[in-house]
Amino acid sequence: MSANLTLIVTIGVLFATGVPLVLERSLSRILIGVLLLGNGANLLFLVASGRAGHAPIVGAPDQRASMSDPLPQAMVLTAIVITLGVTAFLLALSYRSWQLNRNDDVQDDVEDALIKRLADLDEASTSFDDSEGGVADEEGSDESEATSGGDHR
Amino acid sequence: MNALVPMPVMLPMLGAGICLVLGRSARAQRIVSLAVLSAVVVISGVLLWKTDASGPQVVDVGGWGDLGISLVADRLSALLLVVSSIVTLCVLAYSLGQGIVEYGRDTPLSVFHPTYLVLVAGVSNAFLSGDLFNLYVGFEVLLAASYVLITLGGTAARVRAGTTYVVVSLLSSLIFLIAIALVYAATGTVNLASLASRIDDLPDGVTLILQLMLLTAFGIKAAVFPLGAWLPDSYPTAPAPVTAVFAGLLTKVGVYAMIRVQTLLFPDSPLEGLLLVAALLTMVIGILGAVAQSDIKRLLSFTLLSHIGYMMFGLALATTIDSPIALAGTVYYVIHHITVQTTLFLVSGLIEIRGGSTNLDLIGGLARVSPVLGVLFFIPAMNLAGIPPFSGFLGKVALLQAGAESGTWLAYVLVAGGVVTSLLTLYAMAKAWNRAFWQAPPDSVEATPAEGALHGGDAVAVDAPRTSAMPISLVVPTAVLVAVGLAFTVAAGPLFGIAERSADELRDRTPYITAVTDAADR
């Protein structure tokens, strides 16, 4: 199977631009990145379908050899519809996030945030064996009952 | 009889449509959802009996033969369908019961039922699909529904958790889509049965790339170690029934897809070592995360992550040893884990109602307050930890036995890792039990609402530990699921028999392939 070079270069560009965007913090940039990647994947199906030819299925039986492969086209259509739906949801989500926080940044993992705060306060987690019990941390836990192991809430 | 095969997909979809139309009437929605899911339970049961008696059942939905969509129910799919439909029915009953407590401004009633039914349809479609692209569609259907459910009500905590979940799932779907395009480019088909024979002819390098892409996509969904960090953060914020059904089913759909692809398409997989290492890391790191948590829901999320490792362990060994025990152990472990994990999340919902919070620092003494709750928590917790009479023990024994049979040093390391993980699970569960049920309740607790939100729990609940009686409508579905978990022990013989026969079927491949090609020729 010989592949179409133009398509492949386009796919390469779409993926190369999409990946850095997905790694961004802002949800709207992620959205654009996902769209680029999604379109790259859709074009990949066209590459997979092989040589372009006559319109499939409609043609006379003797044209069968010169028809394009219809199956990947059906799959691409499905994939496009799915991407559309999910994109709409992501847009709604980023709007909701903007409503709540006045930005649409993807926020930190809770665990990461807690550990980062402990690090900022230069404090060990409550399970750290500090004998004197240390200071009651701002999570509101009572230092006296910080007994059980591995408990850094 | 084959006409039953599309039903587990079609009925919930139809039900979802009807529920949308009936959006104004909560009561009609309830009746429709309950009726649909009960019907699915019965149909799945019949399908299981039928496939066990006379081999895989195939329906060529599109009528295009090899090109169109075929739905295949073999023993593995049917068994998973039965368990998942029972679980979804119980969770639905629980969520109806919770309507008394939680429906309100934050949880729009009219959206929940249709979305939940769509989720069930997506799960069934994924289990039944005999076609790689239809598997992708099934995944997308269940993911789209799960996006809605995880951000239900759009509160700040849920939007935060949902964002991570949605973005990660989108990426995994993209990887899956790219993998399908590559598979089609290499072989010219996406039908699993045709692929099984055509992939053998590909050069090894190409096969390896296809296998790695598919495993990565499914690995993200199943939350296997390096790809699973999204899970413990995004699950706990959703309402209890939603988290329960996610924990029970969604990761298992990923595991199912891995089992299917590994056994059917890549039976001579060169990746045994990679999978074993991933399994070991998933088990150990997941359970260490669980030990460190002080919120029951987060603790359970980490145990969920950890126990995916057991299933990966069995799957990795399946291709190397000459007996079905590894794969049978995996199948049995999957159905055990679906039930137990769902039950535990439902119980944590009950704890939230009865104790006012799921944070172990804020609750205590529940064993005295509510012995029933104690029993409901204790049984599945011990089941998860693998205490002898329970199903968790039986599944683990099968897997460890498979590891010993394999005999490589890596497999023995995995056996040791499995035992340690089991012990640590027991430790984590005992810790949760001690602090929530036995330890005296803390008398003065000062948590700010912001803290509550940060912990991923319900901000209101943590703010002021408010207790109320458990409605009987929540206790009954939970108790039923606990009983189902116990039934896995009582019926362990026949169940393990089915698991073993499905493992044989998976290893043999020919029953599946001939059933599909016969249906395509008809």
Side-chain angles (χ1 to χ4, degrees), chain A residues 69 75 82 86 96 109-111 148 150-151 153, chain B residues 154 160 170 184 233 292 294 298 361 435 454-455:
Chain A
D69 186 352
M75 293 187 212
I82 291 173
V86 174
R96 179 66 185 158
D109 183 279
V110 178
E111 197 70 21
S148 69
D151 170 28
R153 337 170 8 218
Chain B
R160 181 196 57 72
L170 270 178
Y184 192 81
D233 189 36
S294 62
R298 287 182 69 85
D361 293 330
R435 297 184 67 182
L454 197 57
H455 281 293

mmCIF file with all atom_site columns, all heavy atoms in Angstrom, chain A residues 69 75 82 86 96 109-111 148 150-151 153, chain B residues 154 160 170 184 233 292 294 298 361 435 454-455:
data_model
loop_
_atom_site.group_PDB
_atom_site.id
_atom_site.type_symbol
_atom_site.label_atom_id
_atom_site.label_alt_id
_atom_site.label_comp_id
_atom_site.label_asym_id
_atom_site.label_entity_id
_atom_site.label_seq_id
_atom_site.pdbx_PDB_ins_code
_atom_site.Cartn_x
_atom_site.Cartn_y
_atom_site.Cartn_z
_atom_site.occupancy
_atom_site.B_iso_or_equiv
_atom_site.pdbx_formal_charge
_atom_site.auth_seq_id
_atom_site.auth_comp_id
_atom_site.auth_asym_id
_atom_site.auth_atom_id
_atom_site.pdbx_PDB_model_num
ATOM 1   N N   . ASP A 1 69  ? -12.318 2.930  -0.450 1.00 0.00 ? 69  ASP A N   1
ATOM 2   C CA  . ASP A 1 69  ? -12.777 2.011  0.587  1.00 0.00 ? 69  ASP A CA  1
ATOM 3   C C   . ASP A 1 69  ? -13.809 2.731  1.459  1.00 0.00 ? 69  ASP A C   1
ATOM 4   O O   . ASP A 1 69  ? -13.487 3.733  2.102  1.00 0.00 ? 69  ASP A O   1
ATOM 5   C CB  . ASP A 1 69  ? -11.562 1.577  1.412  1.00 0.00 ? 69  ASP A CB  1
ATOM 6   C CG  . ASP A 1 69  ? -11.912 0.518  2.410  1.00 0.00 ? 69  ASP A CG  1
ATOM 7   O OD1 . ASP A 1 69  ? -13.118 0.237  2.558  1.00 0.00 ? 69  ASP A OD1 1
ATOM 8   O OD2 . ASP A 1 69  ? -10.999 -0.031 3.034  1.00 0.00 ? 69  ASP A OD2 1
ATOM 9   N N   . MET A 1 75  ? -16.277 4.994  9.567  1.00 0.00 ? 75  MET A N   1
ATOM 10  C CA  . MET A 1 75  ? -15.692 5.122  10.907 1.00 0.00 ? 75  MET A CA  1
ATOM 11  C C   . MET A 1 75  ? -15.352 6.574  11.205 1.00 0.00 ? 75  MET A C   1
ATOM 12  O O   . MET A 1 75  ? -15.592 7.059  12.312 1.00 0.00 ? 75  MET A O   1
ATOM 13  C CB  . MET A 1 75  ? -14.429 4.279  10.992 1.00 0.00 ? 75  MET A CB  1
ATOM 14  C CG  . MET A 1 75  ? -14.672 2.795  10.908 1.00 0.00 ? 75  MET A CG  1
ATOM 15  S SD  . MET A 1 75  ? -13.137 1.964  11.235 1.00 0.00 ? 75  MET A SD  1
ATOM 16  C CE  . MET A 1 75  ? -13.270 0.535  10.236 1.00 0.00 ? 75  MET A CE  1
ATOM 17  N N   . ILE A 1 82  ? -18.666 11.760 17.479 1.00 0.00 ? 82  ILE A N   1
ATOM 18  C CA  . ILE A 1 82  ? -18.306 11.585 18.885 1.00 0.00 ? 82  ILE A CA  1
ATOM 19  C C   . ILE A 1 82  ? -17.456 12.758 19.362 1.00 0.00 ? 82  ILE A C   1
ATOM 20  O O   . ILE A 1 82  ? -17.691 13.323 20.434 1.00 0.00 ? 82  ILE A O   1
ATOM 21  C CB  . ILE A 1 82  ? -17.558 10.244 19.078 1.00 0.00 ? 82  ILE A CB  1
ATOM 22  C CG1 . ILE A 1 82  ? -18.517 9.090  18.868 1.00 0.00 ? 82  ILE A CG1 1
ATOM 23  C CG2 . ILE A 1 82  ? -16.942 10.166 20.460 1.00 0.00 ? 82  ILE A CG2 1
ATOM 24  C CD1 . ILE A 1 82  ? -17.860 7.738  18.864 1.00 0.00 ? 82  ILE A CD1 1
ATOM 25  N N   . VAL A 1 86  ? -18.286 15.314 22.520 1.00 0.00 ? 86  VAL A N   1
ATOM 26  C CA  . VAL A 1 86  ? -17.389 15.453 23.662 1.00 0.00 ? 86  VAL A CA  1
ATOM 27  C C   . VAL A 1 86  ? -16.840 16.880 23.748 1.00 0.00 ? 86  VAL A C   1
ATOM 28  O O   . VAL A 1 86  ? -16.690 17.443 24.832 1.00 0.00 ? 86  VAL A O   1
ATOM 29  C CB  . VAL A 1 86  ? -16.249 14.424 23.554 1.00 0.00 ? 86  VAL A CB  1
ATOM 30  C CG1 . VAL A 1 86  ? -15.248 14.642 24.646 1.00 0.00 ? 86  VAL A CG1 1
ATOM 31  C CG2 . VAL A 1 86  ? -16.813 13.030 23.643 1.00 0.00 ? 86  VAL A CG2 1
ATOM 32  N N   . ARG A 1 96  ? -18.363 26.310 32.920 1.00 0.00 ? 96  ARG A N   1
ATOM 33  C CA  . ARG A 1 96  ? -18.761 26.141 34.325 1.00 0.00 ? 96  ARG A CA  1
ATOM 34  C C   . ARG A 1 96  ? -17.571 26.443 35.248 1.00 0.00 ? 96  ARG A C   1
ATOM 35  O O   . ARG A 1 96  ? -17.723 27.090 36.286 1.00 0.00 ? 96  ARG A O   1
ATOM 36  C CB  . ARG A 1 96  ? -19.243 24.703 34.534 1.00 0.00 ? 96  ARG A CB  1
ATOM 37  C CG  . ARG A 1 96  ? -19.670 24.366 35.934 1.00 0.00 ? 96  ARG A CG  1
ATOM 38  C CD  . ARG A 1 96  ? -20.901 25.121 36.349 1.00 0.00 ? 96  ARG A CD  1
ATOM 39  N NE  . ARG A 1 96  ? -21.220 24.877 37.747 1.00 0.00 ? 96  ARG A NE  1
ATOM 40  C CZ  . ARG A 1 96  ? -21.949 25.693 38.485 1.00 0.00 ? 96  ARG A CZ  1
ATOM 41  N NH1 . ARG A 1 96  ? -22.443 26.798 37.969 1.00 0.00 ? 96  ARG A NH1 1
ATOM 42  N NH2 . ARG A 1 96  ? -22.195 25.418 39.741 1.00 0.00 ? 96  ARG A NH2 1
ATOM 43  N N   . ASP A 1 109 ? -4.357  18.227 41.681 1.00 0.00 ? 109 ASP A N   1
ATOM 44  C CA  . ASP A 1 109 ? -4.837  17.058 42.386 1.00 0.00 ? 109 ASP A CA  1
ATOM 45  C C   . ASP A 1 109 ? -4.894  17.384 43.887 1.00 0.00 ? 109 ASP A C   1
ATOM 46  O O   . ASP A 1 109 ? -4.026  18.099 44.396 1.00 0.00 ? 109 ASP A O   1
ATOM 47  C CB  . ASP A 1 109 ? -3.812  15.949 42.123 1.00 0.00 ? 109 ASP A CB  1
ATOM 48  C CG  . ASP A 1 109 ? -4.189  14.645 42.733 1.00 0.00 ? 109 ASP A CG  1
ATOM 49  O OD1 . ASP A 1 109 ? -3.959  14.467 43.939 1.00 0.00 ? 109 ASP A OD1 1
ATOM 50  O OD2 . ASP A 1 109 ? -4.691  13.804 41.991 1.00 0.00 ? 109 ASP A OD2 1
ATOM 51  N N   . VAL A 1 110 ? -5.933  16.904 44.563 1.00 0.00 ? 110 VAL A N   1
ATOM 52  C CA  . VAL A 1 110 ? -6.094  17.244 45.976 1.00 0.00 ? 110 VAL A CA  1
ATOM 53  C C   . VAL A 1 110 ? -4.892  16.808 46.795 1.00 0.00 ? 110 VAL A C   1
ATOM 54  O O   . VAL A 1 110 ? -4.351  17.556 47.609 1.00 0.00 ? 110 VAL A O   1
ATOM 55  C CB  . VAL A 1 110 ? -7.366  16.577 46.537 1.00 0.00 ? 110 VAL A CB  1
ATOM 56  C CG1 . VAL A 1 110 ? -7.498  16.885 48.000 1.00 0.00 ? 110 VAL A CG1 1
ATOM 57  C CG2 . VAL A 1 110 ? -8.572  17.046 45.784 1.00 0.00 ? 110 VAL A CG2 1
ATOM 58  N N   . GLU A 1 111 ? -4.445  15.566 46.526 1.00 0.00 ? 111 GLU A N   1
ATOM 59  C CA  . GLU A 1 111 ? -3.325  15.022 47.273 1.00 0.00 ? 111 GLU A CA  1
ATOM 60  C C   . GLU A 1 111 ? -2.071  15.882 47.060 1.00 0.00 ? 111 GLU A C   1
ATOM 61  O O   . GLU A 1 111 ? -1.374  16.226 48.012 1.00 0.00 ? 111 GLU A O   1
ATOM 62  C CB  . GLU A 1 111 ? -3.079  13.595 46.773 1.00 0.00 ? 111 GLU A CB  1
ATOM 63  C CG  . GLU A 1 111 ? -2.249  12.739 47.687 1.00 0.00 ? 111 GLU A CG  1
ATOM 64  C CD  . GLU A 1 111 ? -2.979  12.378 48.955 1.00 0.00 ? 111 GLU A CD  1
ATOM 65  O OE1 . GLU A 1 111 ? -4.219  12.450 48.967 1.00 0.00 ? 111 GLU A OE1 1
ATOM 66  O OE2 . GLU A 1 111 ? -2.301  12.051 49.943 1.00 0.00 ? 111 GLU A OE2 1
ATOM 67  N N   . SER A 1 148 ? -2.591  6.894  64.237 1.00 0.00 ? 148 SER A N   1
ATOM 68  C CA  . SER A 1 148 ? -2.442  5.790  63.292 1.00 0.00 ? 148 SER A CA  1
ATOM 69  C C   . SER A 1 148 ? -1.477  6.163  62.184 1.00 0.00 ? 148 SER A C   1
ATOM 70  O O   . SER A 1 148 ? -1.267  7.305  61.874 1.00 0.00 ? 148 SER A O   1
ATOM 71  C CB  . SER A 1 148 ? -3.789  5.426  62.697 1.00 0.00 ? 148 SER A CB  1
ATOM 72  O OG  . SER A 1 148 ? -4.195  6.463  61.877 1.00 0.00 ? 148 SER A OG  1
ATOM 73  N N   . GLY A 1 150 ? 0.779   6.588  58.751 1.00 0.00 ? 150 GLY A N   1
ATOM 74  C CA  . GLY A 1 150 ? 0.683   7.060  57.386 1.00 0.00 ? 150 GLY A CA  1
ATOM 75  C C   . GLY A 1 150 ? -0.460  8.026  57.144 1.00 0.00 ? 150 GLY A C   1
ATOM 76  O O   . GLY A 1 150 ? -1.034  8.043  56.076 1.00 0.00 ? 150 GLY A O   1
ATOM 77  N N   . ASP A 1 151 ? -0.789  8.815  58.146 1.00 0.00 ? 151 ASP A N   1
ATOM 78  C CA  . ASP A 1 151 ? -1.997  9.611  57.987 1.00 0.00 ? 151 ASP A CA  1
ATOM 79  C C   . ASP A 1 151 ? -1.636  11.063 57.703 1.00 0.00 ? 151 ASP A C   1
ATOM 80  O O   . ASP A 1 151 ? -1.551  11.865 58.608 1.00 0.00 ? 151 ASP A O   1
ATOM 81  C CB  . ASP A 1 151 ? -2.798  9.468  59.293 1.00 0.00 ? 151 ASP A CB  1
ATOM 82  C CG  . ASP A 1 151 ? -3.940  10.434 59.335 1.00 0.00 ? 151 ASP A CG  1
ATOM 83  O OD1 . ASP A 1 151 ? -4.426  10.798 58.268 1.00 0.00 ? 151 ASP A OD1 1
ATOM 84  O OD2 . ASP A 1 151 ? -4.316  10.823 60.456 1.00 0.00 ? 151 ASP A OD2 1
ATOM 85  N N   . ARG A 1 153 ? -3.277  13.793 56.105 1.00 0.00 ? 153 ARG A N   1
ATOM 86  C CA  . ARG A 1 153 ? -4.481  14.223 55.419 1.00 0.00 ? 153 ARG A CA  1
ATOM 87  C C   . ARG A 1 153 ? -4.237  15.551 54.726 1.00 0.00 ? 153 ARG A C   1
ATOM 88  O O   . ARG A 1 153 ? -3.754  16.432 55.282 1.00 0.00 ? 153 ARG A O   1
ATOM 89  C CB  . ARG A 1 153 ? -5.633  14.427 56.384 1.00 0.00 ? 153 ARG A CB  1
ATOM 90  C CG  . ARG A 1 153 ? -5.488  13.679 57.645 1.00 0.00 ? 153 ARG A CG  1
ATOM 91  C CD  . ARG A 1 153 ? -6.535  14.127 58.636 1.00 0.00 ? 153 ARG A CD  1
ATOM 92  N NE  . ARG A 1 153 ? -7.484  15.006 57.992 1.00 0.00 ? 153 ARG A NE  1
ATOM 93  C CZ  . ARG A 1 153 ? -8.014  16.059 58.588 1.00 0.00 ? 153 ARG A CZ  1
ATOM 94  N NH1 . ARG A 1 153 ? -7.660  16.376 59.796 1.00 0.00 ? 153 ARG A NH1 1
ATOM 95  N NH2 . ARG A 1 153 ? -8.889  16.797 57.982 1.00 0.00 ? 153 ARG A NH2 1
ATOM 96  N N   . GLY B 2 154 ? -22.650 20.042 38.949 1.00 0.00 ? 154 GLY B N   1
ATOM 97  C CA  . GLY B 2 154 ? -21.672 21.087 38.653 1.00 0.00 ? 154 GLY B CA  1
ATOM 98  C C   . GLY B 2 154 ? -21.156 21.850 39.857 1.00 0.00 ? 154 GLY B C   1
ATOM 99  O O   . GLY B 2 154 ? -20.855 23.033 39.754 1.00 0.00 ? 154 GLY B O   1
ATOM 100 N N   . ARG B 2 160 ? -13.855 20.271 39.455 1.00 0.00 ? 160 ARG B N   1
ATOM 101 C CA  . ARG B 2 160 ? -12.407 20.098 39.551 1.00 0.00 ? 160 ARG B CA  1
ATOM 102 C C   . ARG B 2 160 ? -12.014 18.644 39.263 1.00 0.00 ? 160 ARG B C   1
ATOM 103 O O   . ARG B 2 160 ? -11.139 18.366 38.455 1.00 0.00 ? 160 ARG B O   1
ATOM 104 C CB  . ARG B 2 160 ? -11.919 20.487 40.952 1.00 0.00 ? 160 ARG B CB  1
ATOM 105 C CG  . ARG B 2 160 ? -10.423 20.362 41.130 1.00 0.00 ? 160 ARG B CG  1
ATOM 106 C CD  . ARG B 2 160 ? -10.022 20.379 42.584 1.00 0.00 ? 160 ARG B CD  1
ATOM 107 N NE  . ARG B 2 160 ? -10.675 19.327 43.351 1.00 0.00 ? 160 ARG B NE  1
ATOM 108 C CZ  . ARG B 2 160 ? -10.380 18.042 43.256 1.00 0.00 ? 160 ARG B CZ  1
ATOM 109 N NH1 . ARG B 2 160 ? -9.436  17.656 42.439 1.00 0.00 ? 160 ARG B NH1 1
ATOM 110 N NH2 . ARG B 2 160 ? -11.017 17.145 43.954 1.00 0.00 ? 160 ARG B NH2 1
ATOM 111 N N   . LEU B 2 170 ? -10.355 11.490 27.446 1.00 0.00 ? 170 LEU B N   1
ATOM 112 C CA  . LEU B 2 170 ? -10.285 11.925 26.050 1.00 0.00 ? 170 LEU B CA  1
ATOM 113 C C   . LEU B 2 170 ? -8.983  11.461 25.414 1.00 0.00 ? 170 LEU B C   1
ATOM 114 O O   . LEU B 2 170 ? -8.976  10.962 24.289 1.00 0.00 ? 170 LEU B O   1
ATOM 115 C CB  . LEU B 2 170 ? -10.331 13.452 25.985 1.00 0.00 ? 170 LEU B CB  1
ATOM 116 C CG  . LEU B 2 170 ? -11.696 14.095 25.863 1.00 0.00 ? 170 LEU B CG  1
ATOM 117 C CD1 . LEU B 2 170 ? -11.555 15.593 25.853 1.00 0.00 ? 170 LEU B CD1 1
ATOM 118 C CD2 . LEU B 2 170 ? -12.345 13.627 24.582 1.00 0.00 ? 170 LEU B CD2 1
ATOM 119 N N   . TYR B 2 184 ? -6.439  -0.941 11.090 1.00 0.00 ? 184 TYR B N   1
ATOM 120 C CA  . TYR B 2 184 ? -7.108  -1.049 9.793  1.00 0.00 ? 184 TYR B CA  1
ATOM 121 C C   . TYR B 2 184 ? -6.101  -0.907 8.665  1.00 0.00 ? 184 TYR B C   1
ATOM 122 O O   . TYR B 2 184 ? -6.164  -1.614 7.660  1.00 0.00 ? 184 TYR B O   1
ATOM 123 C CB  . TYR B 2 184 ? -8.207  0.008  9.661  1.00 0.00 ? 184 TYR B CB  1
ATOM 124 C CG  . TYR B 2 184 ? -9.097  -0.246 8.470  1.00 0.00 ? 184 TYR B CG  1
ATOM 125 C CD1 . TYR B 2 184 ? -10.124 -1.174 8.551  1.00 0.00 ? 184 TYR B CD1 1
ATOM 126 C CD2 . TYR B 2 184 ? -8.878  0.397  7.261  1.00 0.00 ? 184 TYR B CD2 1
ATOM 127 C CE1 . TYR B 2 184 ? -10.921 -1.453 7.460  1.00 0.00 ? 184 TYR B CE1 1
ATOM 128 C CE2 . TYR B 2 184 ? -9.671  0.127  6.158  1.00 0.00 ? 184 TYR B CE2 1
ATOM 129 C CZ  . TYR B 2 184 ? -10.696 -0.796 6.259  1.00 0.00 ? 184 TYR B CZ  1
ATOM 130 O OH  . TYR B 2 184 ? -11.471 -1.077 5.176  1.00 0.00 ? 184 TYR B OH  1
ATOM 131 N N   . ASP B 2 233 ? -8.142  10.548 42.475 1.00 0.00 ? 233 ASP B N   1
ATOM 132 C CA  . ASP B 2 233 ? -8.498  11.942 42.642 1.00 0.00 ? 233 ASP B CA  1
ATOM 133 C C   . ASP B 2 233 ? -9.892  12.249 42.115 1.00 0.00 ? 233 ASP B C   1
ATOM 134 O O   . ASP B 2 233 ? -10.591 13.103 42.646 1.00 0.00 ? 233 ASP B O   1
ATOM 135 C CB  . ASP B 2 233 ? -7.472  12.815 41.924 1.00 0.00 ? 233 ASP B CB  1
ATOM 136 C CG  . ASP B 2 233 ? -7.668  14.269 42.255 1.00 0.00 ? 233 ASP B CG  1
ATOM 137 O OD1 . ASP B 2 233 ? -8.025  14.537 43.414 1.00 0.00 ? 233 ASP B OD1 1
ATOM 138 O OD2 . ASP B 2 233 ? -7.497  15.118 41.373 1.00 0.00 ? 233 ASP B OD2 1
ATOM 139 N N   . ALA B 2 292 ? -2.125  5.288  53.302 1.00 0.00 ? 292 ALA B N   1
ATOM 140 C CA  . ALA B 2 292 ? -1.857  6.652  53.734 1.00 0.00 ? 292 ALA B CA  1
ATOM 141 C C   . ALA B 2 292 ? -3.099  7.528  53.831 1.00 0.00 ? 292 ALA B C   1
ATOM 142 O O   . ALA B 2 292 ? -3.017  8.648  54.314 1.00 0.00 ? 292 ALA B O   1
ATOM 143 C CB  . ALA B 2 292 ? -0.856  7.299  52.777 1.00 0.00 ? 292 ALA B CB  1
ATOM 144 N N   . SER B 2 294 ? -6.893  9.020  54.858 1.00 0.00 ? 294 SER B N   1
ATOM 145 C CA  . SER B 2 294 ? -7.733  9.057  56.053 1.00 0.00 ? 294 SER B CA  1
ATOM 146 C C   . SER B 2 294 ? -9.193  9.319  55.694 1.00 0.00 ? 294 SER B C   1
ATOM 147 O O   . SER B 2 294 ? -10.004 9.572  56.558 1.00 0.00 ? 294 SER B O   1
ATOM 148 C CB  . SER B 2 294 ? -7.239  10.142 57.007 1.00 0.00 ? 294 SER B CB  1
ATOM 149 O OG  . SER B 2 294 ? -7.342  11.384 56.372 1.00 0.00 ? 294 SER B OG  1
ATOM 150 N N   . ARG B 2 298 ? -11.485 7.861  49.549 1.00 0.00 ? 298 ARG B N   1
ATOM 151 C CA  . ARG B 2 298 ? -10.186 7.900  48.876 1.00 0.00 ? 298 ARG B CA  1
ATOM 152 C C   . ARG B 2 298 ? -9.425  6.607  49.136 1.00 0.00 ? 298 ARG B C   1
ATOM 153 O O   . ARG B 2 298 ? -8.764  6.070  48.256 1.00 0.00 ? 298 ARG B O   1
ATOM 154 C CB  . ARG B 2 298 ? -9.378  9.110  49.336 1.00 0.00 ? 298 ARG B CB  1
ATOM 155 C CG  . ARG B 2 298 ? -9.893  10.406 48.787 1.00 0.00 ? 298 ARG B CG  1
ATOM 156 C CD  . ARG B 2 298 ? -9.056  11.582 49.216 1.00 0.00 ? 298 ARG B CD  1
ATOM 157 N NE  . ARG B 2 298 ? -7.734  11.588 48.627 1.00 0.00 ? 298 ARG B NE  1
ATOM 158 C CZ  . ARG B 2 298 ? -7.469  12.093 47.425 1.00 0.00 ? 298 ARG B CZ  1
ATOM 159 N NH1 . ARG B 2 298 ? -8.423  12.618 46.702 1.00 0.00 ? 298 ARG B NH1 1
ATOM 160 N NH2 . ARG B 2 298 ? -6.258  12.069 46.949 1.00 0.00 ? 298 ARG B NH2 1
ATOM 161 N N   . ASP B 2 361 ? -11.127 10.973 60.529 1.00 0.00 ? 361 ASP B N   1
ATOM 162 C CA  . ASP B 2 361 ? -10.810 11.818 61.683 1.00 0.00 ? 361 ASP B CA  1
ATOM 163 C C   . ASP B 2 361 ? -12.057 12.421 62.306 1.00 0.00 ? 361 ASP B C   1
ATOM 164 O O   . ASP B 2 361 ? -12.011 12.954 63.409 1.00 0.00 ? 361 ASP B O   1
ATOM 165 C CB  . ASP B 2 361 ? -9.876  12.946 61.258 1.00 0.00 ? 361 ASP B CB  1
ATOM 166 C CG  . ASP B 2 361 ? -8.528  12.392 60.858 1.00 0.00 ? 361 ASP B CG  1
ATOM 167 O OD1 . ASP B 2 361 ? -8.144  11.352 61.408 1.00 0.00 ? 361 ASP B OD1 1
ATOM 168 O OD2 . ASP B 2 361 ? -7.887  12.995 59.991 1.00 0.00 ? 361 ASP B OD2 1
ATOM 169 N N   . ARG B 2 435 ? -11.110 2.909  63.252 1.00 0.00 ? 435 ARG B N   1
ATOM 170 C CA  . ARG B 2 435 ? -11.346 4.329  63.477 1.00 0.00 ? 435 ARG B CA  1
ATOM 171 C C   . ARG B 2 435 ? -12.794 4.713  63.276 1.00 0.00 ? 435 ARG B C   1
ATOM 172 O O   . ARG B 2 435 ? -13.314 5.580  63.970 1.00 0.00 ? 435 ARG B O   1
ATOM 173 C CB  . ARG B 2 435 ? -10.433 5.138  62.565 1.00 0.00 ? 435 ARG B CB  1
ATOM 174 C CG  . ARG B 2 435 ? -8.976  4.887  62.886 1.00 0.00 ? 435 ARG B CG  1
ATOM 175 C CD  . ARG B 2 435 ? -8.066  5.733  62.091 1.00 0.00 ? 435 ARG B CD  1
ATOM 176 N NE  . ARG B 2 435 ? -8.180  7.144  62.436 1.00 0.00 ? 435 ARG B NE  1
ATOM 177 C CZ  . ARG B 2 435 ? -7.497  8.082  61.821 1.00 0.00 ? 435 ARG B CZ  1
ATOM 178 N NH1 . ARG B 2 435 ? -6.698  7.768  60.835 1.00 0.00 ? 435 ARG B NH1 1
ATOM 179 N NH2 . ARG B 2 435 ? -7.641  9.336  62.175 1.00 0.00 ? 435 ARG B NH2 1
ATOM 180 N N   . LEU B 2 454 ? -11.809 20.591 49.919 1.00 0.00 ? 454 LEU B N   1
ATOM 181 C CA  . LEU B 2 454 ? -10.475 20.193 49.498 1.00 0.00 ? 454 LEU B CA  1
ATOM 182 C C   . LEU B 2 454 ? -10.284 18.695 49.649 1.00 0.00 ? 454 LEU B C   1
ATOM 183 O O   . LEU B 2 454 ? -9.585  18.057 48.890 1.00 0.00 ? 454 LEU B O   1
ATOM 184 C CB  . LEU B 2 454 ? -9.448  20.947 50.348 1.00 0.00 ? 454 LEU B CB  1
ATOM 185 C CG  . LEU B 2 454 ? -8.033  20.954 49.791 1.00 0.00 ? 454 LEU B CG  1
ATOM 186 C CD1 . LEU B 2 454 ? -8.034  21.548 48.406 1.00 0.00 ? 454 LEU B CD1 1
ATOM 187 C CD2 . LEU B 2 454 ? -7.131  21.756 50.695 1.00 0.00 ? 454 LEU B CD2 1
ATOM 188 N N   . HIS B 2 455 ? -10.911 18.153 50.659 1.00 0.00 ? 455 HIS B N   1
ATOM 189 C CA  . HIS B 2 455 ? -10.763 16.717 50.855 1.00 0.00 ? 455 HIS B CA  1
ATOM 190 C C   . HIS B 2 455 ? -11.591 15.918 49.873 1.00 0.00 ? 455 HIS B C   1
ATOM 191 O O   . HIS B 2 455 ? -11.608 14.707 49.919 1.00 0.00 ? 455 HIS B O   1
ATOM 192 C CB  . HIS B 2 455 ? -11.145 16.314 52.275 1.00 0.00 ? 455 HIS B CB  1
ATOM 193 C CG  . HIS B 2 455 ? -10.049 16.602 53.246 1.00 0.00 ? 455 HIS B CG  1
ATOM 194 N ND1 . HIS B 2 455 ? -8.856  15.931 53.203 1.00 0.00 ? 455 HIS B ND1 1
ATOM 195 C CD2 . HIS B 2 455 ? -9.952  17.497 54.239 1.00 0.00 ? 455 HIS B CD2 1
ATOM 196 C CE1 . HIS B 2 455 ? -8.067  16.399 54.159 1.00 0.00 ? 455 HIS B CE1 1
ATOM 197 N NE2 . HIS B 2 455 ? -8.697  17.357 54.786 1.00 0.00 ? 455 HIS B NE2 1
#
